[in-house]
Amino acid sequence: MKSSMKTLVLVATIAASLSACADMTPAQRNTAAGVVVGGVAGNLLGKDTGATLGGAALGGVIGSQIK
């Protein structure tokens, strides 16, 4: 029972997150992609919350400048 509930919540979360990106401008998509990539890189390099947040912020700034 718990496994099927977790699967249902996971599928609902993925569906909601994908539908939220449907009407984004290219600049918004680039910013979101930069935040994700920067956050992952910050976490891998720094292995703490501050590094993750710093990487996400820097990635968002860089992603927003890509045309």
Side-chain angles (χ1 to χ4, degrees), residues 1-61:
M1 181 67 182
K2 287 184 180 182
S3 178
S4 63
M5 186 63 157
K6 286 181 183 179
T7 303
L8 177 63
V9 169
L10 178 64
V11 168
T13 303
I14 290 171
S17 66
L18 289 176
S19 66
C21 296
D23 60 347
M24 294 175 89
T25 65
Q28 290 171 330
R29 279 194 296 268
N30 290 340
T31 301
V35 167
V36 171
V37 171
V40 169
N43 190 1
L44 290 174
L45 294 174
K47 298 197 184 342
D48 67 350
T49 304
T52 303
L53 294 175
L58 186 59
V61 170

